[in-house]
Amino acid sequence: MTDKMRAAVIDHYHQVDPEIRLVPQPVIHPHDVLVKIRAASVNPIDTKTMAGDLRLLLRYRMPLILGSDFAGDVIAVGRQVTAFQVGDAVYGRPQKDRIGTFADYLAVDTGDIALMPTNLRYEQAAALPLVGLTSYQALHDLMALRPGKKVLIQAGSGGVGTVAIQLAKQLGAYVATTTSAANTAFVQSLGADEVIDYHRTDFATVLKDYDAVFDMLGGNTLERAFRVVKPGGIIVSVSGRPNGRFAQTYGLPLWKRGVLRLATRRLTQLEKVSGVSYRFLFMQPSGQQLAELTTLVEQNKLVPVIDRIYPLTEIAAALTYSRLGKAHGKIIVTMTE
């Protein structure tokens, strides 16, 4: 093992493509493990970070190694680590200020990882942490889905959607989803009860009295979701604008809270008129919740869906494909050629 590693790095926002270069290996803290990364996944947050779209919430120092979740092997442990040992196969989503999974190695806090499901390959395991935790926190924590509840999951064939449909069914909910006609059988195979071809039908005209909507699209699609949910219901979005409620919970300064309240006036108005709660979700890492997902995977109740796999040397192509928004499941980057 050398003291250098390959990593996909950007030097400034709006950089067209990251550069693969040699950088120092990370140093582990007492509660960290050092992971030899085998595979990572591409997520919308990666391209949004590159574009500078999240600067109101996240300010990164440059140069920055991209990548937000991973699967790999523990090769060293901090002096206070007892839950993991060298040789463990693990997966996880590091804290927002410790990203950098498009690299050969990662130092990560043990609270943000879990043992990898024993029935998955590294590429499959890498497909789960970010989208799995996002879905779990939306459907379980915020929506409190249970048998008899009805939820609309937008973009059911996407990275989050493919996991969210499966989790919602495990929670006992009735699931509607939107996708193209070509993907109808695919999302039905994941458990969707009702499928709407968004090319032909406006979901807001055919669905009503739903308990919840999980929004992946934002914009006008998010606003139309208020017509679907019954009073007392909830809309959780990962693509809409953060509102003042989120800003306060997230601990943003007063001036940012004011900016976000102003920017989400329309959503606040829709909340008041419809009696529906709007929540912006910024997923939090959790090794404990990942362990719960591991159990579902090992029981064959949750299956990762992969669209394409790229080597690290083709990270630019992987990010370009992600921007198209056409992936059915996850885009994976492997660290071995």
Side-chain angles (χ1 to χ4, degrees):
M1 185 173 66
T2 67
D3 59 353
K4 294 286 186 179
M5 68 175 185
R6 298 174 306 158
V9 181
I10 59 172
D11 294 297
H12 56 82
Y13 292 117
H14 306 295
Q15 186 170 324
V16 177
D17 294 317
E19 178 186 349
I20 304 297
R21 67 174 70 144
L22 291 178
V23 301
Q25 286 186 22
V27 176
I28 61 173
H29 301 151
H31 293 282
D32 289 349
V33 296
L34 183 64
V35 177
K36 168 64 177 174
I37 297 177
R38 305 296 183 181
S41 82
V42 176
N43 295 281
I45 195 171
D46 301 316
T47 52
K48 290 179 180 178
T49 297
M50 290 182 68
D53 294 344
L54 302 175
R55 280 180 288 180
L56 196 63
L57 302 179
L58 299 172
R59 295 290 296 187
Y60 285 116
R61 292 182 178 180
M62 300 293 169
L64 173 69
I65 302 174
L66 297 170
S68 298
D69 56 1
F70 70 93
D73 299 313
V74 175
I75 62 169
V77 299
R79 65 177 183 272
Q80 295 182 22
V81 172
T82 58
F84 298 92
Q85 60 187 4
V86 172
D88 283 342
V90 297
Y91 69 152
R93 198 293 196 213
Q95 295 288 333
K96 60 184 181 296
D97 57 349
R98 301 190 72 184
I99 66 170
T101 63
F102 297 155
D104 289 320
Y105 300 95
L106 176 78
V108 59
D109 189 283
T110 55
D112 301 331
I113 62 174
L115 292 174
M116 213 175 82
T118 55
N119 56 336
L120 295 187
R121 303 187 311 272
Y122 293 106
E123 295 87 349
Q124 295 172 303
L128 280 175
L130 191 145
V131 296
L133 290 171
T134 298
S135 299
Y136 186 94
Q137 291 170 19
L139 305 174
H140 180 273
D141 296 350
L142 295 180
M143 296 180 187
L145 289 185
R146 59 183 184 272
K149 294 288 187 178
K150 297 170 66 177
V151 61
L152 166 62
I153 296 172
Q154 297 282 19
S157 61
V160 176
T162 55
V163 173
I165 291 172
Q166 296 179 74
L167 281 181
K169 293 307 296 180
Q170 288 301 315
L171 292 169
Y174 177 92
V175 178
T177 192
T178 57
T179 189
S180 63
N183 295 323
T184 296
F186 170 55
V187 295
Q188 286 176 332
S189 73
L190 298 174
D193 299 291
E194 186 170 352
V195 183
I196 297 166
D197 175 6
Y198 69 90
H199 290 296
R200 292 177 171 270
T201 305
D202 178 359
F203 70 90
T205 65
V206 295
L207 302 179
K208 63 179 181 179
D209 294 330
Y210 270 61
D211 298 284
V213 171
F214 191 12
D215 170 67
M216 259 71 76
L217 302 171
N220 181 257
T221 301
L222 169 58
E223 293 187 8
R224 298 205 312 279
F226 282 89
R227 293 156 53 186
V228 171
V229 182
K230 61 187 179 183
I234 184 172
I235 297 172
V236 178
S237 179
V238 294
S239 293
R241 288 176 172 172
N243 57 7
R245 183 186 305 117
F246 167 83
Q248 183 172 354
T249 303
Y250 195 64
L252 293 180
L254 288 175
W255 73 269
K256 287 189 177 182
R257 297 182 199 180
V259 169
L260 292 177
R261 285 194 185 96
L262 189 63
T264 55
R265 286 178 300 175
R266 172 62 176 164
L267 294 175
T268 300
Q269 181 184 27
L270 288 170
E271 280 187 298
K272 293 178 180 178
V273 171
S274 64
V276 173
S277 174
Y278 167 69
R279 299 290 296 271
F280 174 79
L281 173 61
F282 202 61
M283 184 274 296
Q284 297 299 312
S286 171
Q288 181 179 354
Q289 290 181 346
L290 266 182
E292 295 184 38
L293 296 179
T294 295
T295 299
L296 291 176
V297 172
E298 292 180 342
Q299 294 173 348
N300 295 312
K301 295 178 179 178
L302 176 62
V303 179
V305 179
I306 295 175
D307 183 300
R308 297 186 185 184
I309 299 176
Y310 295 84
L312 179 62
T313 51
E314 297 179 20
I315 183 64
L319 291 165
T320 297
Y321 182 54
S322 176
R323 292 186 188 98
L324 296 177
K326 303 293 185 181
H328 298 161
K330 294 307 298 292
I331 303 165
I332 303 300
V333 176
T334 59
M335 305 311 144
T336 53
E337 299 304 321

